[in-house]
């Protein structure tokens, strides 16, 4: 049977309040001498006393647990290094401050909201994949401190935001391809990601910059294929004039590389491919993938620190942090084939 605080008090010959003060720092009005504190701690150790974390959480109304909500969460294996990077940053910030982390899959709807707001979490980090207005209404109903990752809008009274500079990241890819001599490019954004606000920002930002540089943009440059890039073969067989493809995230760009290899399309000799995120996975692809680096570890760490600040100080003003991206040029990009290159 577990040893209780009252058991320690009886064995030490002191009051339960003195034990609580000595072991948990509770009770600012309780005075216990240093010698008595040391005595209580020795007795607790001899009895193998372990504090009841659940009871303490109920008493303090704080669980020291952060929920991380991924609206679309796959297995943490394979090629999706994005989640590993982000979670590394979250844990680096949470664990030293004695906060545990619980992963949550898509939790939107009446019963899911009840689960999020039933007292198990002190706050939430929400990795957004839905339109901002819908998330804001959900956040208000839950009534917990929330930090939203990948939110591009200004922070509100409900939640703080941590985002990435998608516009400049997209512009960096456009500048790189255009400087190599490419004048037509396609953007691979799968059907199911078409409503993802960040995905659309990247595509719109890329083509906006492409136009400013003098490149041609047509409606058919949005390649809304399935996630596995089915449609690439038909597109390539039609002898497209696009000499470069952009994957809206790292996984899409890697899928393009694999699909090109299966169809014996040489990258970058025949086609250049670029993407976003630029995790260490990009160094292992064939060829290594040129991509804009999203500092996911730093973003996860910043989001967690911001959430803990809002948990400990609910009156703190919501803020929005925007992280810049850097272009990592690898071997998946080169000048376009000579017979298709258009002089500037």
């Amino acid at each position: 049977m577990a040893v209780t605080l009252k058991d320690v008090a009886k064995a030490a010959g002191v009051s339960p309040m003195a034990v609580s003060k000595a072991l948990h720092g509770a009770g600012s009005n309780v005075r216990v001498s240093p010698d008595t504190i040391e005595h209580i701690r020795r007795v607790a150790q001899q009895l193998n006393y372990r504090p009841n974390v659940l009871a303490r959480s109920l008493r303090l109304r704080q669980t020291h647990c952060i929920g991380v909500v991924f609206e679309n969460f796959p297995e943490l294996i394979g090629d999706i290094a994005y989640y590993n990077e982000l979670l590394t940053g979250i844990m680096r910030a949470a664990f030293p401050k004695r906060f545990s982390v619980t992963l949550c899959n898509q939790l939107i709807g009446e019963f899911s909201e009840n689960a999020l707001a039933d007292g198990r979490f002190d706050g939430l980090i929400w990795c957004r994949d839905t339109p901002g207005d819908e998330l804001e209404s959900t956040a208000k109903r839950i009534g917990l401190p929330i930090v939203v990752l990948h939110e591009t809008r200004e922070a509100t009274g409900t939640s703080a935001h941590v985002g990435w500079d998608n516009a400049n990241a997209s512009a960096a890819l456009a500048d790189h391809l255009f400087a190599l001599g490419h004048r037509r490019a396609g953007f691979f954004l799968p059907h199911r990601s078409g409503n993802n606000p960040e995905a659309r920002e990247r595509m719109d930002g890329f083509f906006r910059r492409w136009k400013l540089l003098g490149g041609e943009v047509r409606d058919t440059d949005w390649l809304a294929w399935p996630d596995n890039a089915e449609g690439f073969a038909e597109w390539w067989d039609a002898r497209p004039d696009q000499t470069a493809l952009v994957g809206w995230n790292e996984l899409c760009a890697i899928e393009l590389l694999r699909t090109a290899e299966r169809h014996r399309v040489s990258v970058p000799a025949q086609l250049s491919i670029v993407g976003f995120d630029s995790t260490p996975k990009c160094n292992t692809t064939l060829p290594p993938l040129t991509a804009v680096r999203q500092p996911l570890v730093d973003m996860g760490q910043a989001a967690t620190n911001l959430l803990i600040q809002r948990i400990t100080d609910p009156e703190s003003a919501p803020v929005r942090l925007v992280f810049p991206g850097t272009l990592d040029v690898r071997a998946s990009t080169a000048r376009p084939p000579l017979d298709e290159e258009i002089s500037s």
Side-chain angles (χ1 to χ4, degrees):
M1 188 172 180
V3 177
T4 67
L5 187 144
K6 290 183 178 180
D7 294 331
V8 175
K10 183 178 180 180
V14 297
S15 69
M17 293 180 64
V19 175
S20 182
K21 176 71 173 183
L23 300 182
H24 307 307
S28 58
N29 296 326
V30 180
R31 293 188 177 183
V32 184
S33 70
D35 290 343
T36 303
I37 289 176
E38 184 62 28
H39 170 63
I40 292 171
R41 289 175 178 173
R42 282 198 305 269
V43 171
Q45 186 175 13
Q46 292 168 0
L47 294 177
N48 199 28
Y49 169 74
R50 295 291 183 270
N52 188 323
V53 176
L54 179 59
R56 186 168 185 265
S57 297
L58 291 173
R59 184 173 66 255
L60 299 177
R61 295 186 179 181
Q62 191 175 69
T63 65
H64 268 72
C65 183
I66 292 171
V68 181
V69 180
F70 289 106
E71 294 182 7
N72 290 289
F73 187 65
E75 295 178 339
L76 288 174
I77 58 174
D79 296 322
I80 309 178
Y82 162 89
Y83 295 97
N84 298 327
E85 294 277 293
L86 197 61
L87 287 171
T88 295
I90 291 172
M91 291 184 292
R92 279 184 184 177
F95 292 170
K97 296 180 180 178
R98 299 185 179 181
F99 277 82
S100 61
V101 176
T102 298
L103 302 184
C104 309
N105 197 3
Q106 184 170 356
L107 290 171
I108 296 179
E110 181 181 357
F111 298 106
S112 297
E113 289 175 14
N114 290 340
L116 289 175
D118 65 0
R120 71 185 71 184
F121 301 123
D122 291 336
L124 301 172
I125 296 175
W126 201 299
C127 298
R128 184 175 71 105
D129 196 31
T130 57
D133 291 338
E134 179 180 343
L135 176 54
E136 280 301 315
S137 62
T138 300
K140 289 178 181 178
R141 290 193 297 271
I142 291 174
L144 285 175
I146 294 179
V147 174
V148 184
L149 270 165
H150 306 306
E151 175 60 81
T152 58
R153 304 183 307 174
E154 290 299 323
T156 68
T158 304
S159 56
H161 299 164
V162 175
W164 188 42
D165 193 343
N166 285 291
N168 283 330
S170 300
L173 289 180
D175 290 346
H176 173 66
L177 292 174
F178 202 86
L180 288 173
H182 297 273
R183 296 298 179 265
R184 289 294 316 287
F187 200 102
F188 175 34
L189 176 58
H191 295 287
R192 72 174 186 85
S193 300
N195 290 327
N196 182 299
E198 194 165 41
R200 292 305 298 259
E201 276 193 359
R202 293 178 183 180
M203 185 173 71
D204 293 344
F206 177 84
F207 285 131
R208 184 166 54 248
R209 181 66 172 177
W210 199 249
K211 281 185 178 180
L212 289 175
L213 292 171
E216 184 182 356
V217 177
R218 296 185 298 216
D219 292 341
T220 53
D221 291 333
W222 175 10
L223 305 174
W225 301 326
D227 289 352
N228 62 359
E230 181 183 349
F232 178 92
E234 182 179 356
W235 170 81
W236 184 256
D237 290 342
R239 301 182 64 83
D241 55 2
Q242 294 106 328
T243 57
L245 293 183
V246 183
W248 94 263
N249 62 12
E250 184 173 275
L251 189 61
C252 284
I254 290 175
E255 195 61 48
L256 287 174
L257 287 176
R258 288 177 174 166
T259 305
E261 182 182 18
R262 285 197 301 270
H263 292 87
R264 299 182 180 180
V265 178
S266 178
V267 177
Q270 294 175 282
L271 179 69
S272 287
I273 294 177
V274 298
F276 294 81
D277 298 339
S278 194
T279 71
K281 180 67 181 178
C282 291
N283 293 315
T284 69
T285 59
L286 295 175
L289 179 67
T290 293
V292 186
R293 180 182 299 277
Q294 185 172 194
L296 293 168
V297 174
D298 293 341
M299 291 171 65
Q301 197 163 350
T304 306
N305 286 331
L306 195 56
L307 179 61
I308 293 174
Q309 178 186 345
R310 290 180 62 79
I311 291 171
T312 56
D313 181 13
E315 301 302 320
S316 60
V319 299
R320 177 181 177 231
L321 302 179
V322 180
F323 284 77
T326 55
L327 180 63
D328 294 332
V329 179
R330 300 186 181 91
S332 67
T333 51
R335 295 184 64 81
L338 291 176
D339 59 344
E340 297 183 22
E341 182 176 351
I342 301 173
S343 61
S344 58

